[in-house]
Amino acid sequence: MSAPLAPARPAPFSLAVRDSWTMVRRNLLHARRYPSLTLNLLLTPIVLLLLFVYIFGGVMSAGMGGDGRSDYIAYIVPGILMMTVGGTVIGTAVSVATDMNEGVIARFRTMAIHRGSVLVGHVVGSVLQCVAGVVLVGAVAVAIGFRSTDATALEWLAAFGLLVMFALALTWIAVGTGLASPNAEAAANGAQPLVLLPLVSSAFIPADSMPGWFRPIAEYQPFTPAIETLRGLLLGTGIGHNGWLAVAWCVVLTALGHRWSTARFARDPE
């Protein structure tokens, strides 16, 4: 009598996909059950949008040669959308640092799961939250008067792709920040530049109106090329070299963030 056959083991790729999806669901459920941090991070761009449109919009538009508040809404919305991405990933840095301090990631290291699924779960979950945040802020922008200018379906698709690429790049940086931080407070502070950088970009005023010594910093930091590209796709303004520069920043930040995160994750816990 022959021995019963052992059940077939799933292929390594199938295991990686299954475990990664489990981690994505875990992070999305965690964000749904504890939404206060995400909502606080989303309120910042919405408040800034309303503040700059209804309080400063008339003055800012006149200073930029516009015809009124509606012109300034069109100008400011691409920057606010990129700022939403930067603000949302701070929650990812805090979540990763919390998992590290509470021993959750140490526990995952001892389980028979695909090792990379822990990081993939945080990254994919964060990108999905960024997309949801951009949709919410975009809906508020449309409600107060933002309208795209003859953007084609291909340009809308390119704009969405740029937002996803930017979210992916910043998320990997945030994951590395969370893994390298001793606690959640340090992780939140370490990721603050992702919220502050849009304030020194072309998000609120044109970069060429800034002081001469500061202008190159504002023009070539990651947010300005991405904002100008998004502005060109949705509003028909000139993109110039900003499109390639934005893609280059996304690729470089993704590679650096992925390298940093995997190196920190591979270290034995102290």
Side-chain angles (χ1 to χ4, degrees):
M1 181 177 179
S2 60
L5 296 175
R9 290 175 58 83
F13 179 74
S14 299
L15 285 174
V17 172
R18 184 196 66 186
D19 293 342
S20 298
W21 176 240
T22 301
M23 291 298 167
V24 171
R25 289 179 56 200
R26 170 190 175 266
N27 290 303
L28 293 178
L29 286 172
H30 190 270
R32 192 181 71 178
R33 291 174 180 171
Y34 305 97
S36 57
L37 177 61
T38 304
L39 290 177
N40 287 336
L41 294 173
L42 286 176
L43 280 178
T44 300
I46 291 176
V47 169
L48 284 175
L49 174 63
L50 299 177
L51 181 69
F52 272 85
V53 168
Y54 290 109
I55 305 299
F56 307 128
V59 176
M60 299 292 279
S61 178
M64 294 166 54
D67 293 332
R69 186 174 286 115
S70 60
D71 285 350
Y72 193 60
I73 294 176
Y75 182 84
I76 198 175
V77 166
I80 291 292
L81 293 179
M82 287 296 177
M83 192 174 189
T84 303
V85 174
T88 304
V89 300
I90 289 183
T92 305
V94 172
S95 178
V96 172
T98 302
D99 281 354
M100 289 288 287
N101 278 275
E102 293 181 349
V104 176
I105 289 183
R107 173 62 177 155
F108 285 150
R109 292 176 197 268
T110 66
M111 297 172 65
I113 61 175
H114 188 269
R115 196 172 179 83
S117 64
V118 179
L119 297 184
V120 172
H122 276 291
V123 170
V124 175
S126 176
V127 171
L128 293 176
Q129 290 180 65
C130 284
V131 171
V134 166
V135 171
L136 174 63
V137 175
V140 174
V142 171
I144 65 174
F146 174 77
R147 297 292 184 272
S148 176
T149 307
D150 299 328
T152 64
L154 186 59
E155 288 171 328
W156 274 104
L157 186 62
F160 179 76
L162 176 63
L163 285 165
V164 172
M165 287 179 63
F166 207 68
L168 180 65
L170 296 191
T171 296
W172 274 115
I173 297 295
V175 169
T177 303
L179 290 170
S181 300
N183 51 55
E185 290 79 9
N189 292 332
Q192 277 300 318
L194 301 179
V195 173
L196 298 179
L197 276 176
L199 299 176
V200 293
S201 71
S202 65
F204 299 99
I205 59 173
D208 57 12
S209 66
M210 298 179 181
W213 62 272
F214 189 76
R215 194 178 307 162
I217 299 174
E219 288 180 344
Y220 293 103
Q221 58 123 315
F223 278 90
T224 296
I227 291 170
E228 292 300 328
T229 303
L230 193 61
R231 198 169 275 149
L233 291 171
L234 297 181
L235 302 174
T237 58
I239 295 178
H241 63 277
N242 287 301
W244 294 112
L245 198 55
V247 173
W249 268 119
C250 289
V251 172
V252 169
L253 291 177
T254 301
L256 291 176
H258 178 270
R259 177 67 177 169
W260 184 27
S261 300
T262 53
R264 295 292 307 192
F265 187 73
R267 290 186 182 181
D268 291 330
E270 298 177 357

